[in-house]
Amino acid sequence: MPRPDSGYQRSLRPWDAALIVVGGIIGGGIFLNPGIAAQRTDSGLTLLLMWAGAGVLTLIGALCYAELGARRPHAGGTYVYLREAFGPLAGFLFGWTMLLVIYSGSTAAVATIFASYTAAAFGLPPSMALPLTIGALVFVSGINLFGIRLGAQIQNLFALLKLLAVAVLVVCGLFLAGAGHGQILAVDPARNDVGFIGAALPVLFAYSGFTYLNNLAGEVRDPQRTLPRALFLGMLLVIAAYVLVNVAYLAVLGHAGLAASRAPAADVMQQVFGPLGAKVIALGVAISTLGFCNITLVAGARVLQVMGEDGLFFHAVARLHPRYRTPNTALLLLAGWAIVLALSGSYGQLLDYATFGDWLACAAGVATLFWYRRRDGGSASFKVPGYPWLPLLFIGTVAWVVVMTMRDNPRNAGIGALIMAAGVPVYLVWRHLFSRART
């Protein structure tokens, strides 16, 4: 049964919530991954349609999560939906995988991207990469120990700076580079035999993270109204940013040049401003990745806190700071594990193992809509349009992505499945030792 949040302060405003959506999606991917997508498409037009289509699909998922958030405007997000619809085991498996690899691994990996681009921006030696990685994780966890309001203000700054970096990249690519815009939609003869399916994977992965706001629903003001609006507005900003950045890449580099580029953002800025331009965009990428790490840790800590409250995790993580009303123990635990992964150097491999698990969790979360509709009927203040077809389209497409991932990387997908499956005996032992979990 749904229950009110105990102790969280609803201080996140609509604009804060929308920027959390932006910050949870835009990390380093848009500055790095478009080249991979270009390698797997045959023209600029196909590439842009891929980015726009994936954005529309993700918008459908965000609208589904908007209804879920309106129905259950409490902390915990996907964990809460899975626990209520499919039982505590499903919720536990999500929290287990989230802690071990999905949130922690992605945070460690993106913090490493922050370190490499910060070193490039300031001319630091490669030996500074690990200290910068750990310093970034300590910094973003530390600022969120003192209340969601302070954390939101800093996150807003991160989000606005990364949007500024996107705007600079777009303006430089479209108006200052001096390249002919006729090549934007041109066909690349060298890639006329590539398939359309392979490009979907890196593009869809770049859109992941739209579910993070729902983890913070217990701290959003007027959540039944704010969550749908923030998810919709945030997704529109992300789609516009992603499409425009790819247009800028194509205008400067062309499809063939983009496919050959390993760092398209740096290549565009290098052409416009030389080495100074490359350093400027490196700083922009660093800020963008730091903001992503911030959101991931904050959102994941709320899941652990609710799990502790339910008896599905250590009771200590359920505690909120008496003054700041933040789950500091859960936050430090998640950040600490991310640091361990960064020190071990295994986070990247773990992230590969669990990437498809993240999308499975999104699809499973959307699937709970059918349970809520049967149970609660039409009581939600917001309903996803096109029900049941749009949720089914999202679930079916994600299932297709998962199948393609398993086909292309059976070893990684298999190990990812084993990581999730290992949570089953852990859950059974936990329930045997600690019988306080809700059923």
Side-chain angles (χ1 to χ4, degrees), residues 164-223:
L164 176 62
V166 167
V168 169
L169 189 58
V170 170
V171 169
C172 290
L174 294 182
F175 302 109
L176 300 181
H181 292 179
Q183 65 181 335
I184 291 176
L185 305 181
V187 174
D188 184 355
R191 302 186 184 277
N192 57 11
D193 59 343
V194 297
F196 190 77
I197 292 176
L201 301 177
V203 173
L204 280 175
F205 293 156
Y207 276 105
S208 62
F210 66 90
T211 64
Y212 292 163
L213 176 61
N214 287 54
N215 294 356
L216 300 162
E219 293 154 280
V220 175
R221 295 179 185 175
D222 192 12

Side-chain angles (χ1 to χ4, degrees), residues 3 8 79 92 95-96 98-100 300-320 327-334 337 426-427 429-431 433-437:
R3 65 185 188 279
Y8 282 114
Y79 162 77
F92 179 85
W96 163 267
M98 179 216 74
L99 172 62
L100 283 186
R302 270 62 181 175
V303 174
L304 294 179
Q305 188 273 326
V306 178
M307 289 180 67
E309 198 172 64
D310 288 343
L312 291 178
F313 203 56
F314 297 106
H315 183 65
V317 303
R319 301 192 188 112
L320 299 181
N328 288 354
T329 303
L331 179 64
L332 292 174
L333 174 63
L334 184 59
W337 182 242
V426 174
Y427 169 80
V429 171
W430 187 275
R431 290 296 300 268
L433 296 177
F434 306 96
S435 60
R436 299 180 297 106

